[in-house]
């Protein structure tokens, strides 16, 4: 395991994207912020890209309209074709979603789905998220041990987003399987992921067809209604939209919960503060705490791909037309120029304009839902299983080696077994 106190010497650039780096990338990011804040590197896929690591530069880049989300702007050599997005989305014709498009299409599509993620709509969903949370904890609380990733952090957002989309209960386990394939192969072969993407696309296309004749109070029905009212959402766009809401809405929350619990294990004083606050019936520290966990070790390490549509300068470096730019949210959110004591977890931090949900027109649409899931999951775990602890040495934990997301493969825990009698269905 990386020695957390060691920062690479000024002379040599740190090695990126190794397993040691995946375990603890923050010393390397500190070196880059200090010595090469906008850094051109070759990624494990062979694609060359610019990494932006300082907060001010990151915030500027995230909002810069000259940086397009559309991969068509990538001046890519042949070997890089298809290596910059979600594996399989190109073949499955799922490219027309919010992470890949620019205005005016982006503006039109985002307006259609933003209604589903208003604070009011998410607030109405609160009892359902609580019931799902309790139901999942009930399944392992009597055992006294669990893998919090596979038994809790992973299924919770899957079932929640399935319900919001309107996926019937009897089909939700299929989604869980497909999503599991995407997560398991974060750093491995792309074939399994591409197959799951294709199966998901086929299913969503069929579900949209079925719902046309039986509209309900769900997100896919809302997308159909919008397209039928002259908002020009093609069936392909509707399918791609449902797909990206599922894709973007589950893995980020898996990692928010997993990384969040891990950070609390590593910072026991902060965890005790949070448990005392929850026991007193307070919600303020939980709210600021989830934002701080997002900043400190958030679920999205690098923002999704951007491509320069014209020459531009970021942090003094000249970016050429067609160059890929990756904004390193994990580095920006620990920039000492923006955050006091950035490597310290402080759940009561209030000056916390972190970039965990992005910035600008691509700011995360699902942020209200992610906050709800994160707060509900952590509060319920810490309240129902107060002596929750790691079941293995911290250095034995393994992080997934993907490029964009940051998350644990497993999180084995133990606790005093409980008699399960919750309010879940």
């Amino acid at each position: 395991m990386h020695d957390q106190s060691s920062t690479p010497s000024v002379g040599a650039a740190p090695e990126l994207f190794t397993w040691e780096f995946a375990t603890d990338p923050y010393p390397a990011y500190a070196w880059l912020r200090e010595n090469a804040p906008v850094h051109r590197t070759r990624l494990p896929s062979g694609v060359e890209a610019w990494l932006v690591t300082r907060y001010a530069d990151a915030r500027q880049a995230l909002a810069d309209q000259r940086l397009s989300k559309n991969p068509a702007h990538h001046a890519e050599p042949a070997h890089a074709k298809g290596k910059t997005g979600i594996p399989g989305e190109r073949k499955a014709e799922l490219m027309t979603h919010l992470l890949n498009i620019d205005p005016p299409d982006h503006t039109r599509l985002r307006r259609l789905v933003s209604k589903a993620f208003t604070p009011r709509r998410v607030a109405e969903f609160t009892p359902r998220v609580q019931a799902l949370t309790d139901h999942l904890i009930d399944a392992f609380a009597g055992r006294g041990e669990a893998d919090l990733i596979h038994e809790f952090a992973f299924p919770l957002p899957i079932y929640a987003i399935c319900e919001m989309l309107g996926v019937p209960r009897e089909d939700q386990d299929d989604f869980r399987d497909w999503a599991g394939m995407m997560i398991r192969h974060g750093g491995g072969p792309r074939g399994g992921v591409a197959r799951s993407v294709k199966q998901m696309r086929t299913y969503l296309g069929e579900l949209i067809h079925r719902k046309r004749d039986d509209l309900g109070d769900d997100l896919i029905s809302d997308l159909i209604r919008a397209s039928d009212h002259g908002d020009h959402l093609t069936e392909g766009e509707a399918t791609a939209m449902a797909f990206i809401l599922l894709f973007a809405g589950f893995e980020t929350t898996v990692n928010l919960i997993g990384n969040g619990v891990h950070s609390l294990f590593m910072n026991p004083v902060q965890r005790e503060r949070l448990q005392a606050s929850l026991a007193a019936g307070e919600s303020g520290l939980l709210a600021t705490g989830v934002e701080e966990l997002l900043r400190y070790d958030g679920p999205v390490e690098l923002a999704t791909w951007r491509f320069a549509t014209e020459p531009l300068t970021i942090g003094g470096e000249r970016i050429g037309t067609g160059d890929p730019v990756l904004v390193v949210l994990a580095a920006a959110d620990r920039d000492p120029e923006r955050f006091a004591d950035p490597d310290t977890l402080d759940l009561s931090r209030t000056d916390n304009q972190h970039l965990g949900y992005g910035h600008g027109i691509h700011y995360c649409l699902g942020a209200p839902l992610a906050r709800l899931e994160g707060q509900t999951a952590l509060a319920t775990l810490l309240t129902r299983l107060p002596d929750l602890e790691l079941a293995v040495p911290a250095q034995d934990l393994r992080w997934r080696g993907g490029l964009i997301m940051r998350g644990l493969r497993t999180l084995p825990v133990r606790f005093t077994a409980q008699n399960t009698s919750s309010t879940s269905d």
Side-chain angles (χ1 to χ4, degrees), residues 112 121 212 214-231 233:
L112 291 181
R121 182 90 181 249
R212 278 194 180 282
D214 185 21
L215 293 176
D217 183 25
D218 58 70
L219 188 43
I220 287 179
S221 297
D222 287 351
L223 291 175
I224 294 167
R225 285 190 194 95
S227 53
D228 288 348
H229 284 101
D231 263 326
L233 187 73

Side-chain angles (χ1 to χ4, degrees), residues 38-41 48-52 317-320 323-328:
V38 180
H39 176 65
R40 190 173 174 93
T41 189
E48 291 201 0
W50 293 93
L51 301 180
V52 179
E317 293 289 347
R318 192 77 171 145
I319 313 293
D323 282 1
V325 174
L326 289 166
V327 177
V328 187

Side-chain angles (χ1 to χ4, degrees), residues 148-294:
L148 274 193
I149 299 297
H150 292 282
E151 296 181 71
F152 184 68
F154 171 65
L156 176 61
I158 282 285
Y159 291 139
I161 199 74
C162 277
E163 293 206 8
M164 285 196 94
L165 286 169
V167 175
R169 290 261 176 113
E170 62 269 20
D171 296 340
Q172 291 182 7
D173 283 335
D174 287 338
F175 264 78
R176 185 175 172 165
D177 292 343
W178 296 329
M181 179 63 76
M182 291 177 177
I183 274 207
R184 274 196 302 278
H185 288 277
R190 298 170 71 87
V193 182
R195 266 195 307 280
S196 294
V197 167
K198 190 174 181 184
Q199 287 169 309
M200 210 177 267
R201 189 224 187 284
T202 302
Y203 174 84
L204 288 170
E206 290 167 356
L207 183 62
I208 287 168
H209 267 299
R210 291 209 309 270
K211 281 195 180 286
R212 278 194 180 282
D213 304 321
D214 185 21
L215 293 176
D217 183 25
D218 58 70
L219 188 43
I220 287 179
S221 297
D222 287 351
L223 291 175
I224 294 167
R225 285 190 194 95
S227 53
D228 288 348
H229 284 101
D231 263 326
H232 311 301
L233 187 73
T234 69
E235 191 151 303
E237 286 174 333
T239 306
M241 182 66 71
F243 167 75
I244 201 58
L245 290 174
L246 183 101
F247 191 90
F250 92 86
E251 193 172 358
T252 47
T253 308
V254 177
N255 296 345
L256 167 57
I257 297 168
N259 297 8
V261 172
H262 176 261
S263 293
L264 292 175
F265 283 155
M266 297 299 106
N267 293 272
V269 173
Q270 293 295 310
R271 177 213 172 136
E272 285 162 20
R273 282 182 69 198
L274 181 55
Q275 283 185 288
S277 170
L278 292 169
E282 300 162 0
S283 61
L285 192 62
L286 177 67
T288 57
V290 166
E291 299 309 304
E292 173 69 347
L293 292 167
L294 274 158

